[in-house]
Amino acid sequence: MNIYSLSEKYDKLAGAAVRHSMIQIKDNEQILIEECKEVLLFDENTIRLRLSFGTVTINGLDMQMRNYSERGAIIKGKLHSIGFDDNGKE
């Protein structure tokens, strides 16, 4: 087995690995979400993100998203509710 075929097999295995999202809530002012896949909706009152298990919707006032990447996002504002939907599951 050469290094190129080994590299291809590793890439396929790494892509197939199930990743979990971690969500941390700090009071009603900040949420840290890891493993974001896509921003589905963003406005000052609602943010909806696609995660590895489905979608998460965060509702509040003056919502701001900071440091968005595939690794995660920080959401700030006056948080009112958070909801989950597994219909968008990959």
Side-chain angles (χ1 to χ4, degrees):
M1 180 179 298
N2 66 36
I3 193 162
Y4 296 110
S5 63
L6 184 60
S7 174
E8 287 175 6
K9 288 183 180 184
Y10 173 79
D11 288 342
K12 286 181 185 177
L13 180 62
V18 175
R19 292 188 175 170
H20 298 280
S21 299
M22 184 178 83
I23 299 174
Q24 254 182 347
I25 301 172
K26 180 181 176 187
D27 299 326
N28 69 332
E29 299 173 352
Q30 180 175 302
I31 297 179
L32 169 64
I33 301 177
E34 293 183 354
E35 298 296 331
C36 298
K37 302 292 183 187
E38 179 181 8
V39 176
L40 301 172
L41 174 68
F42 177 76
D43 65 35
E44 65 183 27
N45 298 317
T46 304
I47 296 175
R48 183 174 296 130
L49 302 170
R50 185 169 62 90
L51 308 176
S52 57
F53 68 87
T55 60
V56 62
T57 303
I58 300 124
N59 295 303
L61 297 173
D62 300 321
M63 305 294 284
Q64 301 173 15
M65 189 175 336
R66 306 219 173 141
N67 302 331
Y68 175 80
S69 72
E70 187 175 299
R71 297 196 57 149
I74 297 172
I75 297 170
K76 293 188 174 193
K78 184 158 177 71
L79 308 174
H80 288 190
S81 66
I82 183 169
F84 301 94
D85 182 3
D86 64 358
N87 291 337
K89 189 174 182 178
E90 294 182 330

